[in-house]
Each structure stands twice: as C-alpha cells, then as structure tokens.
Amino acid sequence: MQRTLVGRILGSSPRPWIRLSPRPAGPATRALHLAPPFLLDDYTPRYMLLSSVDAAKKRSKAYAHLRNCNLCPRLCGVNRYETTGMCLIGDKVKVNVIAPHFGEEPCIQGHHGSGSVFFSMCNLRCVFCQNHDISHQRNGQDLTPEELGDWFIKLQDVGNVHNINLITPEHVVPQVVLSILHARDNGLKVPIIYNTSAYDSLASLELLDGLVDIYLPDFKLWSPASTRRLLKADDYAATARESIKAMHAQVGDLCFTPDGIAKKGLLVRHLVMPGFEAEGAEIMRFLATEVSRDCFVNIMEQYHPDAYVGRPNTRSRRSADKDGEPPEKRYADINRAVTKEEVSSVRAAAEAAGLWRFCDPPGHDGFHL
C-alpha cells in the first residue's frame, strides 16, 4: 500500500521510492517506510501566513502598477484606469470561463477538479495558440478584483475544488494580487496556482511572492529567432529562464500531501513542437542544470495546428487566384502534429540531463492522482 501511494505521488518513474535524496549520487536505496522528501503531512497556503502589514504593502503596489503598468515584460507604461496596453485589458479583468476543470495534470485536478479561471487576452501572440479563442479575443465577463475574489470562494465552497488555478494571468497580476487578498479575508483556504506562459517579469513575481503556492509555467521555445517568429517576443526565452528560476526560489520543488494532490512547488510544462525537439532538449538541460534535477516536468505531446497555423497566406492567395494554384499555407513547417520520435527525443534529453520526475501515466491499473 505504501509503495503504491508513494509511486502515485511522485509519478510513474519505475522506482521513484528508492531515491536516497533529492540529488542521488549513485545507486543507493532507502527503506520503503521512509517518507519521500516531496511528501507533506499537511499544508497551509502561503497567503494565509502573510502579515497584515505585508498584505497592505502588496495592495498599495498593485494599485500603483495599474496606474503605471510596467509589470510584464512589454513595459507599456499606461494608466490602466484610462487606457490599455498591448494586452487590451484595463483595470478590470476579463474572464472567459470560471469552473472546476478536469483537463490538468492528475496531481492538480484530483477527484474534484481544479478551480480554473481562464483570463481573456495575453501578453504573447503565439501563432499556434491552442486557446486562441480566449487569449487572442476580448471575450468574457468584466470583473473587479473583489468580484473575482468572490468567485474564488464560490469555487472552493460550491465546487469543492482542490485549488484556484489562474490561467494566463501574466497581464492581470495587479488584479490577481488584489483578488487573492480579498478572498483571503473572506474565507479562502485552498492553494493558488499561477498557470503561466513564463513570460513574466521579476517585478511581477516579487509582487506575487507569498500569495502563490504552485507555479505552473509553460517553457515553449528556446531560440530568439523561434520566439520572435512564433511567439512575437524576441526576449521570451531569456525572460522565461529568469522567471522560472525566480519561481523555484520562491516555492521549491513540487510537493504533495498524502492524498496525491500537489500543494506547493514548481511544475514546468513543455509542449513539444514539430521540428523543434532540439530546442526542447535545451529547455530540459536548463531545467536540470540551472533550476533543479528534482524539477517536476510535463512533456506534452498534444500539439496540433491551430490559430494562424495552416491559414492561407494573404499574398499567396492573391497570386493563387490569378494563376489557379492552391495558396501557400502560413507557418507550413509546424502545420502538422508531432511524431512519437520527436516526443521521445525530448524525453531522452530530459533523462540524460538528470531529470526524473515526470507527469506520466501510472505504471499500474489503479487510480492515478
């Protein structure tokens, strides 16, 4: 029973329970009855430990950032009470969906779901965005930070969710901070997940420190040329590297309570892109060498052409109409699904770098949390 529980908590690595320490030096083993270093007896969300003085300081900084918005790497410098910057969002958040969600990692969604809040718009413009109908369009309901915080409590009390999962929140950090502090004062008790593209500034993460329990960044691509073309941000990879290191410094490696639900720490996602497995390998090496060899990683294989990928090229379409030829497709090099070989290549690079905690299907026939 204990072996099954520990295996379920740490993932389906063939023998995760025989690790001697977070950084094993060799083939040494330990007795099965010892608790793993990533198992928590209990957990209190970080925002509940924040003093009233620190909470007041964070509120003041959040309001100041709304009046001069330089919190994300875009550095727009606008007064969001009067106008908008690149994200097209003002002082209120625009929320597309608020509901218990069962499409996350098993250790995040559990049995009752993750209390997911999908924010409209984004500070990136990924041409392949799988949620482009949300992230590229201003659809949804406008909410004040206080109204958003009240929804957190509804998700907790009515939805019985395991956590509050803030999805694509990079451009609404001031409002998120105010909403968490409001919800804390009104009975919120579940962990906060910051589910991000990793295009976050260090100033933004400093404001979130003490409020977020789990950081869930998606490290997408590695080279400036790739991020310029596909994410519309030259500095994405450099920003993501610094942001992920800062996230890990705040919350450490991913830890679980005995029910198998993640409560605090860092979980990094990487969506394998067709033809970009070499960049994925670089990301894995970075995580192992500069973040932690115990970093919990989800190597995802569900990429599919979406958003602008595969659409007819405008200039080509005009020429094709004249010549009677089919128009060229935009971003043709990623207009396909990834192969098993590409996914396996990234996984092999991760293991070669020393990473060992992966979000894999279980190696048994029981529940996978």
Side-chain angles (χ1 to χ4, degrees), residues 245-272:
K245 287 193 288 187
M247 293 173 190
H248 184 265
Q250 286 186 22
V251 297
D253 296 309
L254 196 66
C255 296
F256 308 78
T257 44
D259 57 2
I261 305 299
K263 298 294 184 181
K264 71 173 289 285
L266 176 70
L267 194 166
V268 180
R269 291 169 169 168
H270 172 65
L271 179 65
V272 181

Side-chain angles (χ1 to χ4, degrees), residues 10-226:
L10 296 184
S12 63
S13 179
R15 294 181 299 278
W17 49 86
I18 67 169
R19 299 282 184 177
L20 180 62
S21 68
R23 298 182 183 276
T29 63
R30 68 177 181 201
L32 295 181
H33 68 275
L34 295 179
F38 312 109
L39 181 62
L40 306 169
D41 291 333
D42 199 3
Y43 184 71
T44 300
R46 299 177 77 213
Y47 59 81
M48 295 183 68
L49 306 176
L50 201 66
S51 71
S52 58
V53 173
D54 288 336
K57 289 180 179 178
K58 288 188 181 295
R59 283 193 178 94
S60 178
K61 289 181 180 179
Y63 286 123
H65 282 298
L66 284 173
R67 290 190 294 270
N68 180 22
C69 193
N70 283 317
L71 204 52
C72 98
R74 296 292 183 181
L75 302 176
C76 296
V78 301
N79 184 341
R80 292 175 67 168
Y81 291 102
E82 298 175 354
T83 185
T84 62
M86 194 245 183
C87 68
L88 303 179
I89 298 296
D91 60 310
K92 295 181 179 180
V93 298
K94 189 174 282 291
V95 177
N96 193 283
V97 176
I98 300 179
H101 185 45
F102 293 88
E104 305 287 26
E105 287 82 357
C107 63
I108 297 296
Q109 70 181 34
H111 287 297
H112 303 297
S114 179
S116 296
V117 181
F118 288 84
F119 293 103
S120 292
M121 302 307 294
C122 182
N123 64 355
L124 288 177
R125 290 292 181 269
C126 304
V127 301
F128 53 87
C129 181
Q130 316 287 284
N131 289 328
H132 65 98
D133 56 329
I134 298 175
S135 298
H136 293 185
Q137 301 177 29
R138 296 183 71 252
N139 297 325
Q141 179 181 6
D142 290 321
L143 298 175
T144 66
E146 293 74 24
E147 290 170 335
L148 179 61
D150 291 339
W151 271 104
F152 296 167
I153 296 171
K154 289 178 185 177
L155 284 169
Q156 170 188 271
D157 295 346
V158 180
N160 196 29
V161 296
H162 297 286
N163 44 61
I164 302 300
N165 188 355
L166 307 170
I167 300 173
T168 318
E170 303 90 336
H171 58 301
V172 291
V173 167
Q175 299 94 320
V176 161
V177 167
L178 295 170
S179 67
I180 294 172
L181 293 173
H182 172 80
R184 179 189 84 145
D185 294 342
N186 288 274
L188 189 67
K189 297 178 181 177
V190 295
I192 299 290
I193 298 177
Y194 187 79
N195 191 334
T196 171
S197 67
Y199 196 50
D200 295 284
S201 70
L202 296 182
S204 177
L205 296 174
E206 181 183 357
L207 186 57
L208 290 165
D209 193 8
L211 300 175
V212 171
D213 302 284
I214 295 174
Y215 282 103
L216 189 53
D218 179 8
F219 200 154
K220 300 173 183 292
L221 293 164
W222 183 260
S223 74
S226 299

